[in-house]
Amino acid sequence: MRRPAFYSRSPRTPPPAAEQAADPADATASPDAGGAAGTAGGAQALPSSSLKTGWQPGRKSFALLVVLCAALVTGGTVFWPRQGKALTQKDIDAAVMRTLQTATLPSAAAKAADIVRPSVVRVVGYGTEKATPEAKTQKRGRNMAKGKPPEAPSDGGPPGQVERGVGTGVVIVDKGVILTNLHVVAGAETIKVTFADGLEAVATITGVQPENDLAVLQAQKIPDDLIPAVMRSTADLRPGDGVVAVGFPFGIGPSVSSGVVSGLKRSFRSPEGKQELGNLIQFDAAANPGNSGGPLVNMDGEVLGIVTAILNPTQQRTFIGIGFAVPIENAASAAGSPPF
């Protein structure tokens, strides 16, 4: 039986012996070559010179090639990612529970305050110092909050003017339009606002809504990256919904307090009895003088209203658990752009 060629795809060059066999004279001159050819079954042996015409791997090279292929196949199970086990709802729940048990997550109130804080500004009114009991009480409170003697003179204002009132405002348009309470800036000769990044600017009153104790301010200088607050309709607001008040009580801040909506469509009459406000949001998040004009926001950091008053049956002007805010629908209309 004839043995098949091992390197069947290797290039072949006609051997010189074949050319010699074609010559009858040469064939008779070498009878031993013919006998050797017969014993090989008619196959012609290639001379050593023909093996040098092209590279042909030997058995060792072939074995090495086989080993390399096997290594690649075996290594594929290492380098190619294996298909993992499909996650079930039980696995997801377990991972969430493990995270809740091992990590301290920020509270909903903290997240809401972080969202609205870049839009909250400190509002200060300057002018001739008043001698009314209310003005003296507010001044003592501001001085004590700053660590000063209660009767220390105010400073930091324009020449010849003193700090008459401190409140809060919230930016609703990125061009520097600010909502605050009218009683915060009423009678002020100069109004200054301080933005979240520390920039201080003079502001002017561009609109008022006395029936809702609201004023609209326009800052003369604004930060490059001023972020306005997002306003949210109160149509679906319910008692018990969580709220956060951000402001500058007695000039300290920005300060954050949280609570819930206590009631809707409430009315409030000023201590002097000069004005009555209606359709107010009642809330129990702590508020004090200086919170006036600040935003009341939901747990998504969206502004629901403007803090405007606290119920205070005594003359101490301290928070007893009931505050009021003007709904944002009314507040935004004061700026000439009802949002809903």
Side-chain angles (χ1 to χ4, degrees):
M1 178 177 180
R2 183 177 179 180
R3 182 178 181 182
F6 189 72
Y7 301 109
S8 59
R9 298 188 181 183
S10 299
R12 286 185 172 275
T13 302
E19 298 176 358
Q20 294 176 1
D23 189 349
D26 293 340
T28 56
S30 181
D32 293 338
T39 59
Q44 302 246 346
L46 295 176
S48 59
S49 59
S50 65
L51 295 177
K52 297 180 181 180
T53 58
W55 180 82
Q56 297 179 354
R59 294 179 180 272
K60 292 183 178 180
S61 299
F62 179 76
L64 179 60
L65 181 61
V66 172
V67 172
L68 289 176
C69 292
L72 288 175
V73 173
T74 305
T77 61
V78 177
F79 294 110
W80 286 99
R82 296 181 179 179
Q83 185 176 2
K85 176 185 175 182
L87 292 177
T88 64
Q89 187 61 45
K90 184 177 180 180
D91 297 331
I92 297 174
D93 293 342
V96 171
M97 290 300 299
R98 184 161 52 251
T99 301
L100 293 176
Q101 294 172 357
T102 58
T104 302
L105 302 178
S107 67
K111 291 187 289 185
D114 286 341
I115 293 172
V116 76
R117 187 175 287 115
S119 307
V120 178
V121 300
R122 185 174 184 262
V123 181
V124 182
Y126 295 93
T128 304
E129 187 172 6
K130 291 183 177 181
T132 63
E134 182 180 0
K136 291 181 178 180
T137 300
Q138 292 181 359
K139 177 183 175 181
R140 285 195 294 268
R142 291 194 298 269
N143 285 339
M144 294 177 66
K146 296 176 181 178
K148 298 180 179 181
E151 302 301 330
S154 301
D155 55 7
Q161 297 182 5
V162 296
E163 183 181 297
R164 287 179 49 178
V166 178
T168 309
V170 58
V171 179
I172 61 170
V173 181
D174 59 4
K175 294 181 179 180
V177 179
I178 300 167
L179 276 177
T180 188
N181 280 149
L182 179 57
H183 74 261
V184 171
V185 296
E189 300 173 19
T190 303
I191 302 171
K192 287 188 176 181
V193 296
T194 305
F195 294 94
D197 66 350
L199 176 67
E200 188 178 86
V202 174
T204 56
I205 300 176
T206 59
V208 295
Q209 197 177 77
E211 64 272 22
N212 287 314
D213 189 25
L214 293 169
V216 182
L217 307 180
Q218 174 63 63
Q220 297 181 4
K221 185 170 55 175
I222 62 174
D224 294 334
D225 55 350
L226 183 59
I227 302 174
V230 176
M231 296 178 282
R232 171 67 181 270
S233 171
T234 61
D236 58 351
L237 192 63
R238 299 179 300 173
D241 286 344
V243 289
V244 173
V246 182
F248 292 83
F250 298 106
I252 303 174
S255 299
V256 178
S257 59
S258 66
V260 298
V261 173
S262 304
L264 301 170
K265 300 185 182 301
R266 299 291 196 244
S267 297
F268 171 78
R269 183 177 293 275
S270 63
E272 300 83 7
K274 297 180 180 179
Q275 184 179 11
E276 182 175 354
L277 304 176
N279 190 33
L280 300 176
I281 303 169
Q282 178 188 338
F283 62 92
D284 68 351
N288 284 286
N291 276 107
S292 294
L296 183 72
V297 304
N298 60 15
M299 291 306 169
D300 293 323
E302 300 166 330
V303 180
L304 299 169
I306 301 297
V307 177
T308 190
I310 57 176
L311 183 61
N312 200 320
T314 69
Q315 297 299 318
Q316 301 303 315
R317 293 184 60 80
T318 55
F319 185 67
I320 61 172
I322 297 178
F324 299 102
V326 178
I328 195 59
E329 288 89 343
N330 297 22
S333 67
S337 56
F340 314 108

